[in-house]
Amino acid sequence: MNDFERAISYLNDPFNWTRRGGILDLLGEHVRVSLAAVAIAMVVALPLGVLLGRARRGSGPVVVLSNVSRAIPTLALLTLFAVSPIGFGDEATALALAIFAVPPILTNTFVGFRGVDADLREAARAMGMSRGQVLRRVEAPLAAPLVLTGIRTATVQVVATATLAALVGGGGLGRLINLGFGQHDYGVMIAGALLVAVLAMGTELLLVAVSWAVTPGPRRLPFRRVPRAAAASGTPELTAAGVPS
């Protein structure tokens, strides 16, 4: 039996899923830490991105912050936290992953709101909308595709990177990879890697579906082609603001 077959055998054993500290427990911990990290990043990045994007200022600091944050290795942060008062545990892992998740959310939110046509803002204000109404009913729907793309990118990166937490005493599915590597049981290590890959791909597909569902305007499934009759009719499509494209 090769290592891949041992991995499949390990995953097919119900006891490995249901025992205390088994796959289900590790999966739940992995998801909780990832969600906490993305939530923290969104609380920080979304308001800042909206503020700077609406003001159409701060592109330089946003780019610098994004590049610097991406240059910091997550494992290095986890190691620094481990020897600091923050220490080990899920809180330290979530904080390190949140720092890792801020750049794509901040950058996409900034670009999305900065790209809203100023004429649309002025037209909405001329119709009597308040600043809050312009934000909710005009700017947010138009910026939503880019904002959601940033959140999706950050979430998938966090889910995949959370495995590093096991190297500094953290939890999650990375424990299986770390355990298998430490015991030279490569079947368990491969099983852990497969679980992380499936979780990351499942997260990507789920967030793509959510993005498709909440994005305003005409929608069609990515694999469906535009009917020839509709394409040949020359009928203009409506944008999210109700203006013919």
Side-chain angles (χ1 to χ4, degrees):
M1 182 180 292
N2 59 36
D3 292 332
F4 187 79
E5 290 173 336
R6 282 195 290 271
I8 298 301
S9 177
Y10 181 87
L11 293 175
N12 283 332
D13 187 348
F15 178 74
N16 292 329
W17 288 81
T18 57
R19 63 181 171 83
R20 184 178 179 84
I23 294 175
L24 290 180
D25 287 345
L26 295 177
L27 177 62
E29 189 175 13
H30 197 108
V31 171
R32 286 194 300 272
V33 170
S34 298
L35 289 178
V38 174
I40 295 171
M42 289 174 62
V43 169
V44 174
L46 286 178
L48 184 59
V50 171
L51 180 65
L52 294 177
R54 296 188 76 194
R56 296 175 180 267
R57 297 176 181 176
S59 58
V62 168
V63 171
V64 171
L65 177 61
S66 177
N67 290 337
V68 169
S69 300
R70 289 175 178 174
I72 300 175
T74 305
L75 182 58
L77 278 178
L78 289 171
T79 305
L80 290 175
F81 289 165
V83 297
S84 72
I86 298 176
F88 298 93
D90 292 343
E91 293 79 6
T93 302
L95 181 58
L97 293 174
I99 295 174
F100 180 63
V102 163
I105 299 177
L106 175 60
T107 302
N108 280 48
T109 302
F110 171 75
V111 173
F113 277 86
R114 188 185 64 175
V116 176
D117 194 338
D119 291 339
L120 292 177
R121 290 194 181 101
E122 294 300 324
R125 293 300 301 275
M127 294 173 61
M129 290 187 184
S130 65
R131 288 184 178 273
Q133 289 175 324
V134 173
L135 173 62
R136 294 191 305 271
R137 300 174 61 181
V138 177
E139 294 175 306
L142 292 174
L146 272 177
V147 174
L148 292 172
T149 298
I151 294 174
R152 185 177 77 242
T153 301
T155 304
V156 174
Q157 289 178 349
V158 164
V159 168
T161 309
T163 55
L164 295 175
L167 297 177
V168 289
L173 293 172
R175 283 188 177 180
L176 291 177
I177 300 175
N178 197 33
L179 177 65
F181 185 79
Q183 297 181 347
H184 300 285
D185 188 346
Y186 298 116
V188 174
M189 186 175 69
I190 293 173
L194 288 174
L195 289 170
V196 173
V198 170
L199 180 60
M201 289 187 292
T203 302
E204 172 78 15
L205 292 175
L206 175 62
L207 293 180
V208 165
V210 171
S211 178
W212 175 83
V214 303
T215 299
R219 295 189 297 267
R220 64 182 179 87
L221 295 176
F223 52 81
R224 292 187 60 185
R225 300 180 60 184
V226 178
R228 290 177 177 268
S233 65
T235 303
E237 294 184 355
L238 295 180
T239 64
V243 181
S245 59

